[in-house]
Amino acid sequence: MSIINELKMQYRIGGVVQRLIFWNVGLFAIPMILFSILKLSGVDITAFDWTDAYPGDWFCLSSNPADLLWKPWSLIGYSFLHVGFFHLLFNMLMLYFAGGLFQTFFTQKQLFGLYILSAIFAGLIFIAGYNFIPTLTGVWAGMVGASASVMAILVATAVYSPHYPVRLMLIGTVKMWHIAIVFVVLDLINASVENTGGHIAHLAGALFGFAYIKLLQNGTDLSKVVTVVVDFFASIVTPRKQAPFKKVHRNPLPTQRSTAAKPKDITQKQIDDILDKISKSGYDSLTKEEKDFLFKVGK
């Protein structure tokens, strides 16, 4: 139970990178456990299991644009799903690394906006690639993974601060643009070898990260679109709390209290002065007015 509480605490106090990692890990681990139990029970889960994608799959992004008509959520949802442990592990390590560097210069809302928008852009380019590139035309493919969004975050950081020093284990200190260019070149080399659609999406994510920073430097922050949409739905899910009714008690005006208390204060001061005079010089030292005043008060 303490582990669960610790995870809850980490989720609440963690930033957007940590929450994205939680979502990705949760959407991998929980369904995989359920899929395993259902398969052992003899239940057919083919339509829900994106790890073995096929044209009727409900969750993976399909290369057939017509499939978006009956599963539009896949254009964003694919970026939170993974096909295996190492696929998830590599993407989350890269997200943690690139996301941390990105937040050195930008806000959490900008990071989340970039993650979502780059996923949409890369998804559309993935679909377009399988419909316009000659060697891919007529071939069906499905895609899942956060790689395109991670590439966008990495490249965006490198474009904004290319000479930012990064210390890597076993390699030493390198510049940010060195890391970005290595990943871009690897995708370019492997695009024609294997996982063509995935590498196309990675390159599309890198292109979007580049464009995002250039537009931001010119005064256009594309991530605000996502922020507005998120805030809108958040306002619906979490309605405003009405302030409780407060009963107001009116006190007497300060002037009324001060005028009522003033004579009493003066009388007490006169009595104290007279008593002091008696203690020092005796009763006979009092004037006729003082004796009369003391007599009236004593009634």
Side-chain angles (χ1 to χ4, degrees):
M1 194 66 183
S2 60
I3 296 177
I4 296 176
N5 290 334
E6 179 67 22
L7 291 175
K8 288 180 179 179
M9 179 63 69
Q10 288 298 322
Y11 181 83
R12 284 197 296 266
I13 66 175
V16 67
V17 171
Q18 197 159 339
R19 292 189 177 188
L20 285 170
I21 292 174
F22 267 83
W23 295 344
N24 278 274
V25 172
L27 288 172
F28 174 78
I30 296 174
M32 290 304 103
I33 295 172
L34 292 175
F35 290 169
S36 179
I37 295 173
L38 292 173
K39 285 178 181 179
L40 290 173
S41 303
V43 179
D44 184 11
I45 59 167
T46 307
F48 305 98
D49 188 1
W50 62 82
T51 60
D52 188 18
Y54 84 109
D57 180 350
W58 277 75
F59 296 105
C60 76
L61 181 64
S62 171
S63 60
N64 183 3
D67 288 340
L68 287 177
L69 296 176
W70 62 273
K71 54 173 183 177
W73 53 82
S74 64
L75 191 57
I76 295 176
Y78 83 91
S79 65
F80 293 91
L81 306 175
H82 294 82
V83 296
F85 174 76
F86 289 105
H87 184 208
L88 172 71
L89 178 64
F90 180 77
N91 278 343
M92 293 305 98
L93 288 174
M94 287 300 299
L95 176 59
Y96 183 80
F97 168 76
L101 292 174
F102 183 88
Q103 288 185 109
T104 303
F105 310 103
F106 305 105
T107 67
Q108 297 190 56
K109 287 185 177 181
Q110 288 175 312
L111 189 147
F112 183 71
L114 178 57
Y115 185 100
I116 297 298
L117 292 176
S118 60
I120 295 173
F121 179 79
L124 294 174
I125 296 299
F126 165 80
I127 295 172
Y130 275 87
N131 285 272
F132 294 103
I133 297 176
T135 56
L136 300 178
T137 304
V139 178
W140 184 90
M143 180 176 71
V144 294
S147 304
S149 296
V150 173
M151 275 292 288
I153 295 170
L154 178 68
V155 171
T157 308
V159 171
Y160 183 79
S161 184
H163 299 289
Y164 187 84
V166 180
R167 185 168 183 80
L168 299 178
M169 188 181 300
L170 303 178
I171 296 177
T173 302
V174 297
K175 294 179 180 179
M176 193 64 206
W177 74 269
H178 294 156
I179 300 174
I181 202 67
V182 166
F183 280 98
V184 171
V185 169
L186 287 175
D187 280 315
L188 287 170
I189 293 173
N190 290 300
S192 61
V193 179
E194 48 84 30
N195 188 23
T196 302
H199 292 296
I200 290 174
H202 298 173
L203 294 170
L207 177 61
F208 189 87
F210 175 86
Y212 174 79
I213 293 301
K214 291 303 179 181
L215 288 171
L216 186 64
Q217 290 173 335
N218 289 327
T220 302
D221 187 355
L222 295 177
S223 67
K224 288 184 178 180
V225 176
V226 176
T227 301
V228 170
V229 174
V230 171
D231 289 345
F232 171 75
F233 283 104
S235 65
I236 296 176
V237 175
T238 309
R240 294 180 181 177
K241 293 182 178 179
Q242 295 183 351
F245 175 76
K246 294 182 179 179
K247 186 176 181 180
V248 179
H249 298 275
R250 295 185 179 276
N251 294 321
L253 294 174
T255 54
Q256 294 175 336
R257 290 187 301 181
S258 60
T259 54
K262 202 169 184 180
K264 183 178 180 181
D265 293 338
I266 293 174
T267 300
Q268 185 61 46
K269 186 177 186 304
Q270 288 176 328
I271 294 172
D272 293 338
D273 291 340
I274 293 171
L275 293 176
D276 287 339
K277 189 174 182 180
I278 292 173
S279 64
K280 291 178 181 178
S281 307
Y283 180 80
D284 293 335
S285 63
L286 298 180
T287 63
K288 185 178 182 303
E289 291 79 12
E290 289 173 339
K291 289 178 181 179
D292 292 338
F293 174 78
L294 194 62
F295 177 77
K296 290 178 181 179
V297 173
K299 283 185 177 181

